[in-house]
Amino acid sequence: MEESKSLRVVNKDLVVEENATELLEAQAHIFSHIYSYVNSGALKCAAQLGILETIHSHGKPMPLSHLVSSLPVHHSKAPFVYRIMRILVHAGFFRLEKIDGEEEGYVLTLASKLLLKDNPFTMAPFLPVILHPILTSLWDPLSTWFQNDDPTPFDTAHGMKFWDYTVLHPDISQKFNESMASDARLATRMVIERCKGVFEGLESLVDVGGGTGTMAKAIAKEFPSMECTVFDQPHVVADLQGSNNLKYVGGDMFDSIPSAEAVLLKSVLHDWTDEECVRILERCKHAIGTRNGSKGKVIIVEMMISENDDEVDQVSTQAKLCFDMMMMTMFNGKERSEKEWAQIISGAGFKNYKISHLLGFRSVIEVFP
Ligand SMILES: C[S@@+](CC[C@H](N)C(=O)[O-])C[C@H]1O[C@@H](n2cnc3c(N)ncnc32)[C@H](O)[C@@H]1O
């Protein structure tokens, strides 16, 4: 029987004639989108069971039977391991390779290698914090938040701001700082490799909202004559020890920022509204002042949202849009387009800026008074 080319969908208000194939594709698109949290859940589970480390330490393609017997899973659950592996192969976290003859075994891909706990650039610390119920629970009250006057969905779900929550829950604060530090390790390597000139010749630098100091420590090591300061909330830096050319200072960036020739802001401004960013940048402008005749600068490391839907790199675009939603739900912050960056930069009284798109889905913006 010949397949029908079009379907006639009729209900009380709607009469649409569509190609049957397109309708079915649209349905698959909906299911794939609705179920997209399944991908992150499966990845978190694989990491918790130690599947990545187990395959890595095997050193060659690992057959399913061997993988199953090496994992801490109850014997009644052994048949289910294949299911987790199948979806994660599809998602690009594992690959099947031939061993000898017909037998196949799992190997890691670059993405799963980046999730190994002892990889120097590991992203593993992101899984327990971004997929922690305190953050996954923000999506349920999202529409409620749109209808009330709470500042963020985080406030709607937990009754307080994220930063206040971290003060009351040191375990979450620690997980969050570890995830930030892991991101900063890869970003720092890229910044030093690709944008070294941005830091060359600077006598001093303060990393505002620098967390536990991953980036500032690497910069201090790379430029031993630069005086570096990590400035963050008092509870974040309280127990941290500096070194020769690196010190930790606790405080509130909305009150005042220690003075230096340059201020670094990595992944800080996206946590805040435009008005708050202008206030932070005004404090930065005051901090860099005019030192030894040289006008300082602010170095911003952040994402830049494309003005148009970026067809070139859909994976980066999706990651940026997800970050934007996370910033909205956690902080009432946002990822910004160049136009939006230009507005807050000039709003804080700076005259010029220069952008380098050299860091994958992040950019470096040098801002001059
Ligand atoms: C998203 S994290 C970025 C950390 C680090 N720059 C990085 O990229 O790894 C934002 C940082 O801002 C700090 N922060 C939040 N409010 C602050 C304030 N009022 N004054 C100083 N630091 C603050 C947080 O403690 C946190 O370490």
Side-chain angles (χ1 to χ4, degrees), residues 221-261:
K221 194 168 164 215
E222 189 71 24
F223 301 97
S225 60
M226 192 191 297
E227 287 301 320
C228 295
T229 304
V230 180
F231 179 73
D232 207 292
Q233 301 184 88
H235 74 275
V236 175
V237 294
D239 302 325
L240 300 173
Q241 290 298 320
S243 59
N244 290 347
N245 60 333
L246 178 98
K247 63 176 191 267
Y248 287 91
V249 175
D252 182 346
M253 63 190 168
F254 289 98
D255 290 342
S256 86
I257 290 172
S259 75
E261 191 178 357

Side-chain angles (χ1 to χ4, degrees), residues 88-282:
L88 291 174
V89 165
H90 180 74
F93 288 98
F94 303 110
R95 233 185 15 251
L96 273 167
E97 276 185 7
K98 285 260 184 296
I99 305 172
D100 317 300
E102 285 310 294
E103 201 181 14
E104 287 187 315
Y106 295 106
V107 295
L108 301 185
T109 62
L110 190 54
S112 46
K113 283 181 190 161
L114 205 46
L115 285 167
L116 288 170
K117 293 191 184 86
D118 59 1
N119 184 324
F121 300 121
T122 184
M123 299 283 291
F126 271 87
L127 292 168
V129 61
I130 300 301
L131 299 176
H132 192 285
I134 67 148
L135 296 185
T136 54
S137 63
L138 302 187
W139 303 100
D140 205 34
L142 188 59
S143 57
T144 308
W145 170 74
F146 268 100
Q147 293 164 42
N148 66 28
D149 65 352
D150 291 344
T152 66
F154 194 93
D155 287 78
T156 302
H158 302 294
M160 65 184 87
K161 294 203 183 315
F162 177 77
W163 299 121
D164 296 332
Y165 191 95
T166 58
V167 175
L168 295 178
H169 297 85
D171 55 322
I172 296 296
S173 177
Q174 194 194 339
K175 281 190 171 72
F176 181 79
N177 291 333
E178 278 168 13
S179 71
M180 286 296 111
S182 82
D183 174 54
R185 275 189 286 274
L186 181 56
T188 305
R189 162 80 180 269
M190 293 301 161
V191 164
I192 289 176
E193 216 168 78
R194 297 181 168 190
C195 309
K196 197 169 174 181
V198 168
F199 299 93
E200 260 158 0
L202 292 174
E203 283 173 11
S204 57
L205 173 131
V206 54
D207 186 359
V208 171
T212 49
T214 306
M215 193 153 203
K217 270 192 265 184
I219 292 170
K221 194 168 164 215
E222 189 71 24
F223 301 97
S225 60
M226 192 191 297
E227 287 301 320
C228 295
T229 304
V230 180
F231 179 73
D232 207 292
Q233 301 184 88
H235 74 275
V236 175
V237 294
D239 302 325
L240 300 173
Q241 290 298 320
S243 59
N244 290 347
N245 60 333
L246 178 98
K247 63 176 191 267
Y248 287 91
V249 175
D252 182 346
M253 63 190 168
F254 289 98
D255 290 342
S256 86
I257 290 172
S259 75
E261 191 178 357
V263 170
L264 174 65
L265 287 163
K266 176 192 163 286
S267 307
V268 171
L269 296 177
H270 72 166
D271 296 343
W272 303 95
T273 63
D274 289 351
E275 296 71 27
E276 288 162 333
C277 286
V278 168
R279 277 166 52 207
I280 296 167
L281 285 172
E282 283 169 350

Side-chain angles (χ1 to χ4, degrees), residues 238-364:
D239 302 325
L240 300 173
Q241 290 298 320
S243 59
N244 290 347
N245 60 333
L246 178 98
K247 63 176 191 267
Y248 287 91
V249 175
D252 182 346
M253 63 190 168
F254 289 98
D255 290 342
S256 86
I257 290 172
S259 75
E261 191 178 357
V263 170
L264 174 65
L265 287 163
K266 176 192 163 286
S267 307
V268 171
L269 296 177
H270 72 166
D271 296 343
W272 303 95
T273 63
D274 289 351
E275 296 71 27
E276 288 162 333
C277 286
V278 168
R279 277 166 52 207
I280 296 167
L281 285 172
E282 283 169 350
R283 293 281 175 274
C284 293
K285 191 158 178 277
H286 191 257
I288 57 181
T290 308
R291 299 164 61 86
N292 302 333
S294 88
K295 284 190 176 175
K297 64 180 169 183
V298 178
I299 304 162
I300 299 172
V301 181
E302 289 273 8
M303 290 172 205
M304 197 152 300
I305 295 269
S306 177
E307 307 278 350
N308 311 307
D309 192 22
D310 184 0
E311 290 295 327
V312 181
D313 187 349
Q314 281 297 330
V315 176
S316 284
T317 302
Q318 179 67 17
K320 288 181 195 175
L321 295 175
C322 287
F323 262 99
D324 180 56
M325 292 299 285
M326 286 304 293
M327 294 310 115
M328 182 180 96
T329 53
M330 288 172 76
F331 307 111
N332 195 10
K334 69 206 259 202
E335 303 301 344
R336 297 179 166 85
S337 64
E338 182 175 349
K339 202 166 141 197
E340 290 170 312
W341 279 115
Q343 271 164 3
I344 59 169
I345 287 167
S346 70
F350 288 90
K351 300 234 163 46
N352 297 309
Y353 67 88
K354 182 178 150 200
I355 303 176
S356 313
H357 299 288
L358 293 168
L359 298 177
F361 66 102
R362 292 215 181 84
S363 306
V364 175

